[in-house]
Amino acid sequence: MRVRVDSDRCQGHTLCAMAAPAVFELNDMDGHASVATDPVPPGLESPVRSAQQSCPEQAIEVEDHDDDR
């Protein structure tokens, strides 16, 4: 699985980092998220999906790849 945060859409709600803190990191100045680890490590797919679903701006894009499993 690969994940990306659309920096133009992210408004710094920080919900992604609460759902998947090992994958998303927050900018200290504005709270905007970026991806700390890509591809997503095994076992963290579910928290990343939760982060994607909880994002009010729909700024998180997830790509599943069969070769990542």
Side-chain angles (χ1 to χ4, degrees), residues 19-64:
V23 177
F24 298 98
E25 58 189 10
L26 303 175
N27 180 300
D28 290 335
M29 298 295 287
D30 59 14
H32 289 169
S34 61
V35 176
T37 179
D38 185 50
V40 175
L44 294 179
E45 293 92 351
S46 181
V48 168
R49 292 233 181 261
S50 293
Q52 180 187 32
Q53 292 173 352
S54 69
C55 180
E57 307 303 330
Q58 299 180 345
I60 300 170
E61 299 172 15
V62 173
E63 291 181 40
D64 288 309

